[in-house]
Amino acid sequence: NLSFNEITGSIPRSLRQLTKLTRVHFGNNNLTNTIGSDLGLLTDLVDLYLDENYFTGTIPTEIGLLTELESFAVFNNHITGTIPTELSSLTKLRTLYLDNNNITGEI
């Protein structure tokens, strides 16, 4: 859990090498740029918390590859675009926080 650490910059690209990760918590930091499609390589993820940062761009469609995902939080960022239809394939998803962004669409 790396929440509340005032981390700046982007999500480290080296994170994609940690393919057995089940939980990534980067909430309440100062992360910027886009949410990289590389996260789609972390197919064992159960929890992905990227809330309370400064992410821009869209939610990558590769999130739909995270078939073990139960919790996904990106609230309070600067995300735009539409909700990826790929989220509907996440049958284990129980918690989804998308609020306080500028995104549209249906699930």
Side-chain angles (χ1 to χ4, degrees), residues 66-101:
L66 304 178
T67 55
E68 299 301 314
L69 201 62
E70 294 178 9
S71 299
F72 180 51
V74 292
F75 63 90
N76 290 342
N77 278 286
H78 302 286
I79 298 170
T80 58
T82 58
I83 299 169
T85 57
E86 290 79 3
L87 285 182
S88 64
S89 66
L90 300 177
T91 57
K92 295 183 180 181
L93 193 65
R94 296 172 191 238
T95 307
L96 177 64
Y97 296 109
L98 304 175
D99 50 304
N100 279 341
N101 284 290

Side-chain angles (χ1 to χ4, degrees), residues 16-17 25 27 29-30 49 68 86 100 102 104:
R16 69 179 176 187
Q17 297 170 352
H25 293 242
N29 281 293
N30 295 307
Y49 286 87
E68 299 301 314
E86 290 79 3
N100 279 341
N102 192 23
T104 60

Side-chain angles (χ1 to χ4, degrees), residues 3-64:
S3 298
F4 296 98
N5 277 294
E6 298 183 20
I7 299 170
T8 60
S10 302
I11 296 173
R13 289 186 53 81
S14 58
L15 192 69
R16 69 179 176 187
Q17 297 170 352
L18 305 174
T19 56
K20 296 300 178 189
L21 276 179
T22 58
R23 290 177 170 76
V24 172
H25 293 242
F26 276 122
N28 292 280
N29 281 293
N30 295 307
L31 293 169
T32 57
N33 298 318
T34 60
I35 298 170
S37 60
D38 295 358
L39 290 177
L41 299 171
L42 303 176
T43 55
D44 287 342
L45 276 184
V46 174
D47 295 332
L48 179 56
Y49 286 87
L50 304 174
D51 53 289
E52 304 272 352
N53 280 288
Y54 298 95
F55 289 113
T56 58
T58 60
I59 297 171
T61 58
E62 290 80 2
I63 294 296

